[in-house]
Amino acid sequence: MKGRRILGSPNDSPDNVRKKVILDPQSPTPSHPKSNAIDDISEEIKCPICNEPMINMFQLNQHIDDIHVDGQPNKSIDTETKVSNTSYTSPTINKLINNDFIQKDMKKWFDTTPTKRKTISLDLFDGNKGFSLSGENNNDDSVLSGSEANTPKSTSSPLNKPRIIRSHWKHPSSNPQCKLCQKPLNVKHGIVHCRKCGELTCNDDSNYKVCLRNPHKNETIPQYDKNGIWSKCCRTCYFDKPDLKNQGQINMVDLTDKFKRMRTTNNETSQLNRDKLIKRFIKIINFLSEYYLTKKDSFLSFSLSEDQEIIDKQKQIIGFENWQDDDTINHCYICFTRFNFLVRKHHCRVCGKIVCDDKFEQRQGCSLLVPVPIVLKILSNLNYSKFVLDNWKKLMSNNDITIRMCKNCKNDLTYDFKLKSLENPEDTEESNNLKLIFSVYQQLLVVKNNINHYLPKYESQLLSPELKIDITNKLKDRIMIYLKDFESLIFQFKHKFYLRSGEINPVFSKNFKLINGINQSLILFLQDNLLKFKDLNEKFRNIENSLLPKETIDKPKLTKRQIRELREQLMVMNEQKFIIENMIYDITKQRKFDQLQPLLNNKQELVNEIESLEEKLGEFGF
Amino acid sequence: MSDNNRFAQFKLVLLGESAVGKSSIVHRFVKNTFDNMRESTIGAAFLTQTITLPESNTTIKFEIWDTAGQERYKSLAPMYYRNANAALCVYDITSRSSFNKAQDWIKELKKQAPEGIVICLVGNKLDLENEREVDQQEVIEYVQELNQENDNVILSECSAKNGEGVLDIFNKIGRALPVEEVINGANNRSRQVGSRKPGVNLSRQQNQPQSSNCC
């Protein structure tokens, strides 16, 4: 247990570590063939274990992976029990097994990084702890190595954390097979007990982790517990995890706000940085143009001393503290290539950092000697001095004046320009088309917003207990007008961008996706809202009807004159009914039965008519 | 009812201003009588008469509803033309206003009556030719105008008093009616019922397929 340490508290002296490094033949030599810049951190970083100075976090990361892991085997991954029980004597086998399956899984992730790094990444991937920098020397602690207490988590937890019991583990038979894939279990495929169910599985099928707690009195196997110990388990047990099983209940953390905040702060700082660089750049250009244009008449080539003069001046502009000292820097800050006889050091004239040159484009083009006219062309509307503006033409035609710039500074300086060129594409036919489309769309949006605004109002009016008929009516009319407008606008839209045949006008064929999308969304919107509106109207009518008592409907409907007319009609009908009845009587008497049916039908009609009239008249009937 | 003597029933309604001679025409047609001092009709009278079309050897029975022309009974008219097969719009050739009224009736029929109703515009009182107010040429033009649009309006003039042209009207209507359809429809049903009972029901059936043409 003596090997346990908390991050940042080295108990191995650097010398010790170095010795180990030397002793360990497997320690891969540090190499950073394709590493990229992640952060540029100006402060010096030291390895917390061996105090070796590092360029940045990235390198430190690799350094720790490469050097310190090997010193403490078993540190990163919870290795398969049997092998780890054999412990320190067989680190090679251990490694072999681990690497075997890890390489299969993770090949695509880190194909260029050394194998040990993968081990750590796997832990990271398991997502539980992050990785710890301290190792665990469990040479003399073979019991512990079997349990999950060995996972990196244990570094931050008490030493005697309870272990998950192992009493339920299945004893391997003579020819053990993986429970899930039926592979024979041996050194090659691994023999792993699932901590949850105790079954034997191969390495591939036990590459999962869940939080477990020890079983209570009446339980036989460990149970899932959020606050438990991270333990290895088989695939079945992993996917049986309650939160995975009921997918709807997965806990979600909304990081949007946090992200937004971080993004704005990041954006602001980078904007500040850009502003700073642009100011410097202006100063430099002012100086350079003045310097060269005034001296050019007398000299065609520049001597070293003059170069020194320029550099001094530039240092002054950038600020001496920003001008990196040649002696302290050994690596290009962008590509981390170590400087040597061929890879020379150069100062970026804008930020003052030391970068490599990439004349032959073998590396990443970290810096370049840029002719000033090219930069000026792009950054034409900066606040240059009067001199520069006066001699603009001269400057633009002079390709001899150059300025060294690193890639980052170039990107920062041209940031606004690029942004602009994205925003305002050149005035081509296409952009005109786009403008046209969007202008029409804008109109539609206004109406759409209106509808979106008034429809919910209308709805809430309908739902509210004290509904005012006149206000609601007004709302209804307004929405009706907007919907009509919207429809006619859609027609206009179609007329503009579509041919009669329904195909897109070939003029706009390039934007057909956009137009189709707009068209579809508009129609959908219209349909949805029309339906909704119709429903609401129905509701409104019902409410209106229920609000008005019956008399109020009937009273205005029946004027005195109407009543008179209806009464007269009723009288006529009754008369006719009487006549027909007489006729029927006569005809039956006369036995003219062929005429009977039409009369009977007619009588029925009359009866119906009389009924409906009486209903209409209501209390005004006879 | 042998097969070579085919039979069909149709409902016919008379419309027009009062005192144009609707009842007189019907009585001339049904009973071949004329009453100089006929009392105005009350409500609607019902009469039947059969004719035979010799060329197709078809017997057509008309169920005639003679409506009263008085304004008072106007509300009755829709009930009768609602499912009629034919309508006679009668006007008095000696009265301008009666012709206008007949035009109104035609308009109303086109609006309200079933599709395919046979409309016949009849000018009555031909015996009073010397008191004529409605020019025949004008009526012909009006009918032609109507016929340009779609359906056929039959034009006819008659005198109920001397019987001139009355039978002719009903013959014309008989020819214009969709006799075949009704007979076929009746044949599809049991023949026994067809002779007496179906009457109005049958003609209703005949109307439906026609109306389905447009809607």
Side-chain angles (χ1 to χ4, degrees):
Chain A
M1 298 279 207
K2 62 184 177 187
R4 288 171 191 274
R5 274 178 294 103
I6 308 299
L7 170 66
S9 61
N11 62 356
D12 267 3
S13 72
D15 290 342
N16 234 344
V17 174
R18 256 172 221 138
K19 233 183 259 167
K20 268 182 190 162
V21 170
I22 294 157
L23 281 172
D24 194 343
Q26 289 195 329
S27 167
T29 49
S31 64
H32 321 273
K34 283 191 179 174
S35 51
N36 272 323
I38 292 171
D39 282 313
D40 61 329
I41 291 170
S42 43
E43 316 104 282
E44 210 170 40
I45 297 168
K46 279 178 185 168
C47 169
I49 298 165
C50 61
N51 275 331
E52 198 180 294
M54 293 292 150
I55 297 175
N56 58 18
M57 282 304 280
F58 189 81
Q59 208 200 13
L60 173 64
N61 200 357
Q62 277 203 341
H63 161 86
I64 289 164
D65 293 352
D66 295 339
I67 294 169
H68 299 300
V69 166
D70 275 295
Q72 294 108 17
N74 253 344
K75 171 250 156 194
S76 62
I77 201 147
D78 172 59
T79 48
E80 176 276 321
T81 12
K82 284 209 159 182
V83 180
S84 57
N85 276 344
T86 58
S87 179
Y88 200 59
T89 49
S90 57
T92 30
I93 300 171
N94 188 354
K95 217 176 282 166
L96 253 177
I97 292 162
N98 278 332
N99 290 347
D100 183 30
F101 79 87
I102 291 163
Q103 263 164 358
K104 255 188 245 162
D105 286 350
M106 312 298 288
K107 217 167 217 166
K108 284 175 192 164
W109 281 52
F110 303 100
D111 44 355
T112 54
T113 40
T115 46
K116 266 300 162 184
R117 179 164 168 65
K118 283 174 198 164
T119 328
I120 276 193
S121 309
L122 189 67
D123 263 4
L124 279 171
F125 176 59
D126 277 350
N128 309 325
K129 309 277 94 75
F131 69 93
S132 91
L133 297 176
S134 64
E136 290 151 68
N137 243 339
N138 54 350
N139 304 354
D140 48 356
D141 188 14
S142 55
V143 187
L144 210 113
S145 65
S147 88
E148 286 308 308
N150 253 354
T151 51
K153 177 169 189 172
S154 55
T155 51
S156 55
S157 56
L159 300 183
N160 46 0
K161 183 151 184 158
R163 277 171 239 142
I164 298 297
I165 55 142
R166 302 198 272 159
S167 54
H168 63 293
W169 284 17
K170 297 261 159 69
H171 285 291
S173 57
S174 55
N175 266 333
Q177 277 190 332
C178 172
K179 180 185 74 164
L180 296 167
C181 62
Q182 265 74 47
K183 254 189 247 168
L185 295 179
N186 48 29
V187 179
K188 187 183 168 201
H189 299 301
I191 309 173
V192 186
H193 280 101
C194 168
R195 268 50 164 180
K196 172 83 172 68
C197 62
E199 297 277 355
L200 281 163
T201 54
C202 66
N203 275 333
D204 287 347
D205 284 325
S206 60
N207 193 14
Y208 302 91
K209 276 184 178 176
V210 285
C211 276
L212 293 178
R213 61 165 170 77
N214 274 324
H216 293 318
K217 273 176 191 170
N218 48 357
E219 293 159 343
T220 52
I221 56 170
Q223 302 295 318
Y224 301 113
D225 186 358
K226 264 188 189 167
N227 305 318
I229 305 165
W230 284 101
S231 317
K232 215 164 181 151
C233 73
C234 63
R235 190 169 49 212
T236 349
C237 292
Y238 179 75
F239 286 107
D240 276 350
K241 224 164 49 157
D243 51 344
L244 265 183
K245 232 179 175 181
N246 328 325
Q247 289 204 333
Q249 295 177 352
I250 284 178
N251 288 332
M252 248 182 56
V253 185
D254 189 3
L255 293 173
T256 320
D257 278 342
K258 199 177 165 195
F259 169 74
K260 265 187 190 164
R261 231 179 304 124
M262 283 175 71
R263 192 174 157 76
T264 36
T265 45
N266 257 349
N267 275 348
E268 275 164 9
T269 40
S270 59
Q271 183 60 45
L272 273 176
N273 186 37
R274 279 199 297 278
D275 288 348
K276 190 176 79 185
L277 289 181
I278 284 175
K279 262 180 199 160
R280 277 189 201 166
F281 175 76
I282 293 171
K283 276 183 194 165
I284 288 167
I285 290 292
N286 290 345
F287 161 71
L288 280 180
S289 54
E290 221 165 309
Y291 183 83
Y292 281 113
L293 290 181
T294 47
K295 298 219 167 178
K296 216 203 157 190
D297 305 329
S298 45
F299 298 96
L300 282 173
S301 60
F302 308 106
S303 64
L304 194 74
S305 64
E306 271 160 342
D307 258 357
Q308 199 52 53
E309 194 185 336
I310 294 172
I311 287 172
D312 283 345
K313 180 73 184 165
Q314 280 172 342
K315 268 192 205 173
Q316 193 188 331
I317 291 169
I318 292 171
F320 291 104
E321 72 278 6
N322 292 325
W323 191 270
Q324 278 185 340
D325 194 358
D326 277 343
D327 300 335
T328 57
I329 306 296
N330 292 322
H331 299 272
C332 163
Y333 92 102
I334 293 175
C335 67
F336 302 116
T337 314
R338 195 176 254 280
F339 294 116
N340 55 29
F341 182 69
L342 289 172
V343 183
R344 306 300 300 171
K345 291 179 184 175
H346 295 276
H347 277 96
C348 168
R349 298 297 193 269
V350 184
C351 63
K353 281 177 187 154
I354 292 179
V355 285
C356 66
D357 187 9
D358 191 12
K359 262 187 192 158
F360 311 107
E361 292 181 3
Q362 281 167 343
R363 290 185 298 279
Q364 302 173 337
C366 296
S367 75
L368 209 64
L369 215 53
V370 195
V372 168
I374 293 179
V375 205
L376 286 185
K377 203 175 170 189
I378 293 170
L379 304 167
S380 58
N381 44 7
L382 290 183
N383 192 16
Y384 298 114
S385 71
K386 195 169 177 290
F387 182 84
V388 177
L389 294 176
D390 288 344
N391 297 294
W392 189 262
K393 270 190 184 169
K394 240 184 191 173
L395 268 174
M396 290 303 277
S397 60
N398 191 343
N399 272 324
D400 294 337
I401 310 175
T402 55
I403 178 167
R404 179 164 299 275
M405 244 188 251
C406 68
K407 200 164 69 175
N408 292 356
C409 289
K410 180 204 75 176
N411 287 341
D412 281 348
L413 284 173
T414 54
Y415 181 85
D416 287 333
F417 168 76
K418 280 178 185 163
L419 210 63
K420 235 186 222 166
S421 64
L422 274 181
E423 274 168 3
N424 298 330
E426 280 158 47
D427 236 21
T428 55
E429 190 193 1
E430 200 176 329
S431 72
N432 280 338
N433 284 346
L434 276 178
K435 262 182 209 162
L436 184 65
I437 293 169
F438 282 119
S439 69
V440 177
Y441 187 53
Q442 205 82 34
Q443 288 178 332
L444 276 157
L445 273 187
V446 172
V447 184
K448 193 173 164 182
N449 281 342
N450 280 334
I451 295 173
N452 275 338
H453 180 67
Y454 284 111
L455 208 56
K457 259 192 181 175
Y458 182 47
E459 194 173 4
S460 63
Q461 266 289 336
L462 283 181
L463 291 175
S464 74
E466 64 254 3
L467 168 135
K468 282 174 188 160
I469 298 280
D470 49 340
I471 293 176
T472 323
N473 255 330
K474 261 184 201 166
L475 271 173
K476 183 179 150 188
D477 291 347
R478 192 170 278 179
I479 295 168
M480 185 93 88
I481 290 166
Y482 284 134
L483 282 171
K484 270 184 189 164
D485 281 359
F486 196 72
E487 199 178 0
S488 63
L489 277 171
I490 287 181
F491 273 122
Q492 280 177 27
F493 182 84
K494 273 195 171 166
H495 183 71
K496 248 181 201 157
F497 301 114
Y498 287 89
L499 297 176
R500 279 262 166 91
S501 56
E503 285 163 19
I504 285 214
N505 195 334
V507 181
F508 303 100
S509 55
K510 271 187 185 171
N511 309 98
F512 81 101
K513 266 187 187 166
L514 181 67
I515 293 175
N516 274 343
I518 292 177
N519 188 27
Q520 222 151 32
S521 72
L522 292 179
I523 289 174
L524 263 181
F525 177 80
L526 184 67
Q527 279 173 347
D528 286 354
N529 283 289
L530 271 181
L531 276 178
K532 200 174 166 194
F533 186 57
K534 214 177 153 191
D535 283 353
L536 289 177
N537 278 349
E538 198 103 310
K539 246 188 225 168
F540 181 46
R541 205 172 304 134
N542 287 340
I543 292 172
E544 215 173 24
N545 285 344
S546 65
L547 272 185
L548 299 170
K550 274 230 160 164
E551 297 156 43
T552 48
I553 302 171
D554 288 343
K555 261 178 190 166
K557 248 190 178 174
L558 291 182
T559 57
K560 273 187 182 172
R561 201 178 140 200
Q562 277 173 320
I563 290 168
R564 210 172 53 221
E565 279 171 4
L566 281 175
R567 276 183 173 174
E568 193 153 312
Q569 275 182 28
L570 191 60
M571 241 143 64
V572 169
M573 294 289 170
N574 278 325
E575 244 173 73
Q576 183 67 16
K577 190 183 156 199
F578 178 70
I579 293 168
I580 297 282
E581 273 166 355
N582 274 346
M583 273 190 199
I584 290 169
Y585 178 72
D586 285 346
I587 281 170
T588 20
K589 229 175 166 184
Q590 294 162 14
R591 312 214 156 243
K592 288 183 186 172
F593 293 116
D594 61 327
Q595 295 182 12
L596 193 58
Q597 194 58 41
L599 286 172
L600 286 175
N601 287 344
N602 188 240
K603 190 190 160 190
Q604 190 55 46
E605 273 181 57
L606 279 167
V607 170
N608 292 343
E609 197 80 7
I610 287 166
E611 270 176 14
S612 77
L613 273 174
E614 274 175 346
E615 199 176 296
K616 260 190 205 167
L617 269 170
E619 53 183 315
F620 300 102
F622 302 109
Chain B
M1 298 295 160
S2 60
D3 272 348
N4 51 12
N5 189 10
R6 302 177 309 159
F7 176 82
Q9 252 179 330
F10 290 101
K11 183 175 172 184
L12 186 145
V13 61
L14 278 96
L15 302 164
E17 207 182 35
S18 67
V20 293
K22 294 185 293 299
S23 299
S24 296
I25 291 173
V26 174
H27 276 261
R28 175 58 77 186
F29 174 54
V30 175
K31 300 175 179 164
N32 205 9
T33 56
F34 181 75
D35 188 353
N36 250 330
M37 305 297 289
R38 179 166 293 281
E39 280 176 32
S40 69
T41 316
I42 297 167
F46 178 71
L47 295 151
T48 57
Q49 175 66 304
T50 43
I51 58 163
T52 308
L53 298 176
E55 72 270 12
S56 58
N57 197 17
T58 310
T59 306
I60 293 171
K61 182 178 171 189
F62 287 110
E63 294 166 2
I64 301 163
W65 287 98
D66 174 22
T67 62
Q70 285 173 354
E71 196 60 35
R72 180 164 191 263
Y73 298 105
K74 201 170 180 275
S75 57
L76 275 178
M79 196 189 302
Y80 292 107
Y81 68 64
R82 199 181 292 149
N83 44 28
N85 304 104
L88 253 67
C89 295
V90 187
Y91 68 93
D92 182 353
I93 60 166
T94 65
S95 155
R96 182 85 226 170
S97 70
S98 72
F99 179 58
N100 292 342
K101 186 73 195 173
Q103 285 178 331
D104 290 346
W105 276 116
I106 290 177
K107 262 186 220 161
E108 190 175 331
L109 283 173
K110 296 218 158 172
K111 254 191 227 164
Q112 312 281 351
E115 197 81 16
I117 187 171
V118 176
I119 300 171
C120 183
L121 184 59
V122 179
N124 195 17
K125 306 190 187 177
L126 204 54
D127 48 306
L128 301 174
E129 181 67 49
N130 48 354
E131 291 172 38
R132 191 178 191 104
E133 259 184 40
V134 184
D135 189 16
Q136 194 168 10
Q137 195 54 43
E138 185 193 350
V139 182
I140 289 170
E141 275 168 24
Y142 167 69
V143 170
Q144 272 172 354
E145 199 180 305
L146 279 178
N147 286 347
Q148 265 174 11
E149 285 172 26
N150 41 18
D151 45 10
N152 290 320
V153 175
I154 300 164
L155 174 61
S156 192
E157 288 193 346
C158 70
S159 164
K161 192 170 185 178
N162 54 29
E164 185 189 345
V166 175
L167 258 178
D168 196 37
I169 299 167
F170 290 90
N171 280 332
K172 273 185 191 169
I173 291 172
R175 290 192 190 99
L177 283 166
V179 179
E180 298 297 327
E181 284 176 39
V182 177
I183 288 171
N184 291 339
N187 280 340
N188 289 342
R189 297 175 137 225
S190 81
R191 194 68 209 171
Q192 276 184 333
V193 187
S195 59
R196 296 258 178 272
K197 247 194 162 180
V200 178
N201 284 344
L202 257 188
S203 46
R204 262 187 202 157
Q205 269 194 342
Q206 168 260 326
N207 275 329
Q208 277 159 355
Q210 276 199 338
S211 60
S212 72
N213 286 342
C214 103
C215 307

